Coordinates of all heavy atoms in Angstrom, one line a residue:
R56 N 6.5 -12.5 -1.7 CA 6.9 -11.7 -2.8 C 7.6 -12.4 -3.9 O 7.6 -12.0 -5.1 CB 7.9 -10.6 -2.2 CG 7.2 -9.7 -1.3 CD 8.3 -8.8 -0.6 NE 9.0 -8.0 -1.6 CZ 10.1 -7.3 -1.3 NH1 10.6 -7.3 -0.1 NH2 10.7 -6.6 -2.3
G57 N 8.2 -13.6 -3.6 CA 9.1 -14.2 -4.5 C 8.6 -15.5 -5.1 O 9.3 -16.1 -6.0
S58 N 7.5 -16.0 -4.7 CA 7.0 -17.3 -5.2 C 5.5 -17.3 -5.5 O 4.8 -16.4 -5.1 CB 7.4 -18.4 -4.2 OG 6.7 -18.3 -3.1
A59 N 5.1 -18.3 -6.3 CA 3.7 -18.4 -6.7 C 2.9 -19.0 -5.6 O 2.7 -20.2 -5.5 CB 3.6 -19.3 -7.9
T60 N 2.4 -18.2 -4.7 CA 1.6 -18.5 -3.6 C 0.4 -17.5 -3.5 O 0.5 -16.4 -4.0 CB 2.3 -18.5 -2.2 OG1 2.8 -17.2 -2.0 CG2 3.5 -19.5 -2.2
P61 N -0.7 -17.9 -2.9 CA -1.9 -17.0 -2.9 C -1.7 -15.8 -2.1 O -0.9 -15.6 -1.2 CB -3.0 -17.9 -2.3 CG -2.5 -19.3 -2.3 CD -1.0 -19.2 -2.3
H62 N -2.6 -14.8 -2.5 CA -2.8 -13.6 -1.6 C -3.8 -14.1 -0.5 O -4.9 -14.5 -0.9 CB -3.5 -12.5 -2.4 CG -2.5 -11.8 -3.4 ND1 -2.1 -10.5 -3.2 CD2 -2.0 -12.2 -4.6 CE1 -1.3 -10.1 -4.2 NE2 -1.3 -11.2 -5.1
L63 N -3.4 -13.9 0.7 CA -4.3 -14.3 1.8 C -4.8 -13.1 2.6 O -4.0 -12.3 3.0 CB -3.6 -15.3 2.7 CG -3.2 -16.7 2.1 CD1 -2.6 -17.6 3.1 CD2 -4.4 -17.3 1.4
L64 N -6.1 -13.1 2.9 CA -6.7 -12.0 3.6 C -7.3 -12.5 5.0 O -8.0 -13.5 5.0 CB -7.8 -11.3 2.8 CG -7.4 -10.4 1.7 CD1 -6.9 -11.2 0.5 CD2 -8.5 -9.5 1.2
W65 N -6.8 -11.9 6.1 CA -7.2 -12.3 7.4 C -7.9 -11.1 8.1 O -7.5 -10.0 7.9 CB -6.0 -12.7 8.3 CG -5.1 -13.6 7.6 CD1 -4.2 -13.4 6.7 CD2 -4.9 -15.0 8.0 NE1 -3.4 -14.5 6.4 CE2 -3.9 -15.5 7.2 CE3 -5.5 -15.9 8.9 CZ2 -3.4 -16.9 7.2 CZ3 -5.1 -17.2 9.0 CH2 -4.1 -17.7 8.1
S66 N -8.9 -11.4 8.9 CA -9.6 -10.3 9.7 C -10.0 -10.9 11.0 O -10.2 -12.2 11.1 CB -10.7 -9.7 8.9 OG -11.9 -10.5 9.0
N67 N -10.3 -10.1 12.0 CA -10.9 -10.6 13.2 C -12.4 -10.7 13.2 O -13.0 -10.9 14.2 CB -10.4 -9.8 14.4 CG -10.4 -8.3 14.2 OD1 -11.0 -7.8 13.2 ND2 -9.9 -7.5 15.1
E68 N -13.0 -10.5 12.0 CA -14.4 -10.7 11.8 C -14.7 -12.1 11.3 O -15.8 -12.5 11.4 CB -14.9 -9.7 10.8 CG -14.7 -8.2 11.1 CD -15.6 -7.7 12.2 OE1 -16.7 -8.3 12.4 OE2 -15.2 -6.8 12.9
T69 N -13.6 -12.8 10.9 CA -13.8 -14.2 10.4 C -12.7 -15.0 10.9 O -11.6 -14.5 11.2 CB -13.7 -14.2 8.8 OG1 -12.5 -13.6 8.4 CG2 -14.9 -13.5 8.2
T70 N -13.0 -16.3 11.0 CA -11.9 -17.3 11.5 C -11.4 -18.0 10.3 O -12.1 -18.8 9.7 CB -12.6 -18.3 12.5 OG1 -13.1 -17.6 13.6 CG2 -11.5 -19.2 13.0
G71 N -10.1 -17.7 10.0 CA -9.5 -18.3 8.8 C -9.2 -17.2 7.8 O -9.3 -16.0 8.1
N72 N -8.8 -17.6 6.6 CA -8.4 -16.7 5.6 C -9.1 -16.9 4.3 O -9.6 -17.9 4.0 CB -6.9 -16.8 5.3 CG -6.5 -18.1 4.8 OD1 -6.7 -18.4 3.6 ND2 -5.9 -19.0 5.6
L73 N -9.2 -15.8 3.5 CA -9.7 -15.8 2.2 C -8.6 -15.6 1.2 O -7.6 -14.9 1.4 CB -10.8 -14.8 2.0 CG -12.1 -15.1 2.8 CD1 -13.0 -13.8 2.8 CD2 -12.9 -16.2 2.1
N74 N -8.7 -16.2 0.0 CA -7.7 -16.2 -1.0 C -8.3 -15.4 -2.2 O -9.2 -15.8 -2.9 CB -7.4 -17.6 -1.4 CG -6.4 -17.8 -2.5 OD1 -6.0 -16.8 -3.2 ND2 -5.9 -19.0 -2.8
S75 N -7.6 -14.3 -2.5 CA -8.2 -13.4 -3.6 C -7.9 -13.9 -5.0 O -8.4 -13.4 -6.0 CB -7.6 -12.0 -3.5 OG -6.3 -11.9 -3.8
T76 N -7.0 -15.0 -5.1 CA -6.7 -15.5 -6.4 C -7.7 -16.5 -6.9 O -7.6 -17.0 -8.1 CB -5.3 -16.1 -6.4 OG1 -5.3 -17.3 -5.5 CG2 -4.2 -15.1 -5.9
N77 N -8.6 -16.9 -6.1 CA -9.6 -17.9 -6.6 C -10.9 -17.7 -5.8 O -11.1 -16.8 -5.1 CB -9.1 -19.3 -6.4 CG -8.8 -19.7 -4.9 OD1 -9.5 -19.2 -4.0 ND2 -7.8 -20.6 -4.7
T78 N -11.9 -18.6 -6.0 CA -13.2 -18.5 -5.5 C -13.4 -19.3 -4.2 O -14.5 -19.4 -3.7 CB -14.2 -19.1 -6.5 OG1 -14.0 -20.5 -6.7 CG2 -14.1 -18.3 -7.8
D79 N -12.3 -19.8 -3.6 CA -12.4 -20.7 -2.5 C -13.2 -20.1 -1.3 O -13.1 -18.8 -1.1 CB -11.0 -21.1 -1.9 CG -10.4 -22.1 -2.8 OD1 -11.0 -22.6 -3.8 OD2 -9.2 -22.5 -2.6
A80 N -13.8 -20.9 -0.5 CA -14.5 -20.5 0.7 C -13.4 -20.2 1.8 O -12.2 -20.4 1.5 CB -15.4 -21.6 1.2
L81 N -13.8 -19.7 2.9 CA -13.0 -19.4 4.0 C -12.2 -20.6 4.4 O -12.8 -21.7 4.6 CB -13.8 -18.9 5.2 CG -13.0 -18.2 6.3 CD1 -12.5 -16.9 5.9 CD2 -14.0 -18.1 7.5
N82 N -10.9 -20.5 4.6 CA -10.0 -21.6 5.0 C -9.9 -21.5 6.5 O -9.1 -20.7 7.0 CB -8.6 -21.5 4.3 CG -7.7 -22.6 4.7 OD1 -8.1 -23.6 5.3 ND2 -6.4 -22.4 4.5
N83 N -10.6 -22.4 7.2 CA -10.5 -22.4 8.7 C -9.3 -23.1 9.2 O -9.3 -24.2 9.6 CB -11.8 -23.0 9.2 CG -13.0 -22.2 8.9 OD1 -13.1 -21.0 9.3 ND2 -14.0 -22.8 8.2
T84 N -8.2 -22.4 9.1 CA -6.9 -23.0 9.5 C -6.5 -22.7 10.9 O -7.0 -21.7 11.5 CB -5.8 -22.4 8.6 OG1 -4.5 -22.8 9.1 CG2 -5.8 -20.9 8.6
S85 N -5.7 -23.5 11.5 CA -5.2 -23.3 12.9 C -4.2 -22.1 12.9 O -3.8 -21.8 14.0 CB -4.5 -24.6 13.4 OG -3.4 -24.9 12.6
L86 N -3.9 -21.6 11.8 CA -2.9 -20.5 11.8 C -3.5 -19.1 11.9 O -3.0 -18.1 11.5 CB -2.1 -20.5 10.4 CG -1.3 -21.8 10.2 CD1 -0.6 -21.8 8.9 CD2 -0.2 -21.8 11.3
Q87 N -4.8 -19.0 12.4 CA -5.4 -17.8 12.7 C -4.5 -16.9 13.5 O -4.0 -17.3 14.6 CB -6.7 -18.0 13.4 CG -7.5 -16.7 13.7 CD -8.2 -16.1 12.5 OE1 -8.2 -16.7 11.4 NE2 -8.7 -14.9 12.6

Side-chain angles (χ1 to χ4, degrees):
R56 297 171 57 190
S58 65
T60 59
H62 288 249
L63 297 184
L64 286 74
W65 310 75
S66 78
N67 46 10
E68 303 288 333
T69 55
T70 300
N72 64 76
L73 288 166
N74 179 352
S75 71
T76 64
N77 62 32
T78 63
D79 284 356
L81 192 72
N82 178 16
N83 293 301
T84 172
S85 60
L86 297 174
Q87 179 74 10

